[in-house]
Every structure is written in C-alpha cells, then in structure tokens.
Amino acid sequence: VRLTVVRRVLADGAPKPESEDAMKAAVCHEFGKPLVVEDIDVDEPGPGEVRVQVAACAICQSDIHYKNGAWGGVLPTVYGHEAAGVVTRLGDGASRFAVGDKVIVTPTTGAFAERCTVPEKLAMPIPDGLDFGQAAGFTITYSTSYHALCQHARLQEGETVLVLGAAGGVGITAVEIAKALGARVIAAASNNEKLEFAKSAGADATINYGETSIRDAVREISDGLGADVIYDPVGGEIGEQALRSIARGGRYLVIGFASGAIPNFPANLLLLKEASAMGVWWGPWATRNPELQAQNLQAMGDMIGKGLLRPRVTGSYSLDEFSEAFRAITARRVRGKVVFHMD
C-alpha cells in the first residue's frame, strides 16, 4: 500500500500536500543514491492496523543493504524497520491499543517518515524506563541477540562469550544480554575507544583485533579453554580468526557481515572441536514464533526494569541529516544505535 501511495504522489507531479494527511518522509528513488526528503500521502489504517505519529526511528544495517539495491525491491519507496511514537488512529477491528498509547513498531518498510501505519500485531508498548530514542532502536537489535544467545546457543551461566563488533548496534546488545544471563563476556572491536564503550556495557575483558590476534588473546583470557559462544555480526577475516578460538563443544553464531565479506570457514575446525556454526535470522523466526518472541520481549522488559539492560543511542540526527547518519554506519564509526528524531 505504501509503495503505491508514494508512486502516485511522485509520478503525478502533484504539489506538496497541505492537508493533515500529508507527511515528510525520506524516499528512495534510485538504488545507491541519496534519499530525498519530501511530502507524501499518509496511509489510512486498514482493518486491524494502527497509525503512529513517529517520534524517533532507528537505522538498521538492512536499511543500508536495501538502499544500495543489494536486496532489490520496487522504487520509489520509504525504508525503515523500527520506530517509536504515539498511536493517533485505529483501523476497524484494531483493539490492542488506544489513541495516545506510546508504542514501538517494526514495519516491513516505512519508518523513515513522520507517520507510520502498521498492523497492530507489529506494535508493542514501550517498556517502562525507555525514551522514544531508546525505544526506536530496541526491538530488532535486542531481540536478535536474545534469540541468538537463548534459543540458538542456549547460553549457560558461567560460560564465556566472545562478541565481535562489540560496540556496534547489535554487538553492544549481545554484551549486555550475555552479561545479564551470567556469562563471562569478552568484547572484541577495532579500536580502544569502542572497547571502552563495550566495557561500560559490562564486558569483562576486551580484545583490540586491530592490534592483536583474536585466537591468542582469547586463549590467554580463557586459560586455554576458548570461547563457548562466539557472536559474529562482522564476518570476513575477523570471523575466520575468531572461529579458531572456539572451545570444545562451542557454538558459533553467524549474525551478519558488517565487514562486507563472508568468511570461509575450514570445516575441520568444527570437526576437531565438535563445535557448531549456527545462522541467526531473527525476523522470520519471530514471524513463525510470535508467542516465543512475546516471551523474549517480556524477559528483556524485566531486565530493563532491573537495570540490567540500558539501550544506548550514541548517534541522533534529524530526518534531513540522513546522509551523515548513513555514512556513520557504513564507515563503522557507530557505537550503539543511530536514530532519527522527528521535529
């Protein structure tokens, strides 16, 4: 629906709408090119949908891939998968929320806009203690890490977890969650500034992989035992190095490839250590397992209430500053989460 509306406004060359149903959005017209902030129509909520006035929206690594055309799609469109704001309208049959409720939404697209219309099942109340900026960047990163560590790795208290890219959007959440679950956390990043940030989130030990061998450092920190769980959103050569530090019976979690390169794993390492490599793709899993995802969110909400998790927003931009925000992520300068705040 959103794609159709955007296409109509742009193709007809209509003047900027002046009604209350117009909004500003960052529109992608051409893959690999800057987004264009302009006025478009607002979707009316259909049956079972809610409209949300967006206070803040977060940038995900997947938004970079979509914008650059790596995953295809129909243009023009509005990207964005995470936002937080206030419910302003309800579609027929929508009953989970009331107008005025503060919510987090995770639409397939459309979050880079002043308003967002989504099925009510893709909305959740903002956990107590989070502001709009923190809430906007909470769901995908924290849910990914919690699902990876709990449902995949089945992390046990006292185990050692190595987190690569530990200061990034998902990496820092893995540090926090692993620590909250009672693990010993080794944070690995490309410079000392990022490592200090990871330590502030609870990391017990750090590795600067720009200066030292991950394998040697993990061996020293773990008294030669290795890492029981390796959380890898980086990939490439760093991922290949990290696998060599895995403990016997360890679990290697493939989260993503922020480095831009897919690692080539020698299968004999998994054989010799009787280890496992697991792919983690939270979105489709959550769609197939909504009840388990709801339980995960409840558990993380409890952790927030106890002060064990504290979502960190270190980059805040206006919608017009999208180019700088995207550069911060692609240059891997980011610590924590980057969000757009609406006026």
Side-chain angles (χ1 to χ4, degrees):
V1 173
R2 177 170 298 280
L3 299 183
T4 303
V5 171
V6 172
R7 187 182 305 113
R8 176 173 57 76
V9 173
L10 299 176
D12 292 351
K16 293 182 179 180
E18 296 178 353
S19 73
E20 65 176 6
D21 291 327
M23 66 177 181
K24 290 190 179 299
V27 182
C28 180
H29 290 273
E30 185 177 352
F31 293 131
K33 300 294 184 181
L35 305 180
V36 178
V37 177
E38 56 193 28
D39 288 321
I40 66 171
D41 283 351
V42 182
D43 291 341
E44 283 295 328
E49 293 184 331
V50 295
R51 179 193 288 180
V52 174
Q53 185 74 31
V54 175
C57 54
I59 305 176
C60 305
Q61 191 68 39
S62 59
D63 294 317
I64 306 295
H65 296 314
Y66 275 118
K67 174 180 173 295
N68 292 334
W71 295 345
V74 179
L75 297 179
T77 192
V78 178
Y79 293 125
H81 308 289
E82 289 185 289
V86 178
V87 175
T88 57
R89 289 196 189 181
L90 305 176
D92 291 341
S95 59
R96 292 183 57 211
F97 301 98
V99 171
D101 285 351
K102 297 179 179 180
V103 296
I104 298 170
V105 294
T106 52
T108 304
T109 59
F112 293 168
E114 292 178 321
R115 295 170 219 171
C116 184
T117 299
V118 299
E120 63 175 357
K121 66 180 181 180
L122 297 182
M124 61 172 279
I126 295 179
D128 292 340
L130 298 187
D131 60 30
F132 283 122
Q134 291 173 307
F138 169 75
T139 305
I140 293 178
T141 53
Y142 277 90
S143 293
T144 295
S145 293
Y146 192 92
H147 168 54
L149 294 171
C150 293
Q151 274 88 36
H152 277 280
R154 301 187 182 278
L155 181 65
Q156 302 298 306
E157 185 175 355
E159 289 191 311
T160 297
V161 178
L162 170 63
V163 180
L164 307 184
V170 290
I172 200 69
T173 67
V175 170
E176 281 192 299
I177 292 172
K179 188 65 179 176
L181 294 172
R184 184 187 188 192
V185 182
I186 303 173
S190 59
N191 61 56
N192 291 330
E193 183 182 7
K194 292 180 178 180
L195 292 176
E196 286 300 316
F197 183 65
K199 286 173 66 176
S200 75
D204 299 289
T206 60
I207 300 172
N208 183 336
Y209 49 64
E211 298 179 352
T212 188
S213 161
I214 293 178
R215 176 185 177 184
D216 294 343
V218 171
R219 181 177 297 173
E220 180 178 351
I221 294 169
S222 66
D223 296 324
L225 297 177
D228 299 297
V229 176
I230 299 175
Y231 183 98
D232 180 15
V234 179
E237 182 183 353
I238 299 301
E240 295 174 23
Q241 290 182 30
L243 181 61
R244 298 182 182 278
S245 69
I246 200 165
R248 183 165 298 281
R251 290 87 77 199
Y252 193 104
L253 302 171
V254 181
I255 309 298
F257 313 106
S259 68
I262 298 174
N264 295 310
F265 291 147
N268 65 311
L269 289 177
L270 298 175
L271 173 68
L272 293 173
K273 294 293 184 71
E274 295 184 298
S276 304
M278 308 175 182
V280 179
W281 195 3
W282 166 76
W285 174 87
T287 300
R288 295 191 304 270
N289 300 276
E291 293 184 0
L292 276 176
Q293 169 60 11
Q295 293 174 19
N296 288 358
L297 289 171
Q298 181 62 54
M300 289 186 286
D302 293 343
M303 289 178 176
I304 291 172
K306 295 175 181 177
L308 298 174
L309 304 182
R310 182 170 63 85
R312 289 159 168 79
V313 176
T314 58
S316 182
Y317 300 85
S318 70
L319 193 60
D320 291 320
E321 296 174 318
F322 61 83
S323 293
E324 176 55 30
F326 274 73
R327 280 195 294 269
I329 292 180
T330 54
R332 297 177 63 187
R333 303 197 308 264
V334 171
R335 295 175 297 154
K337 198 70 175 178
V338 171
V339 302
F340 292 129
H341 279 281
M342 302 298 172
D343 292 335

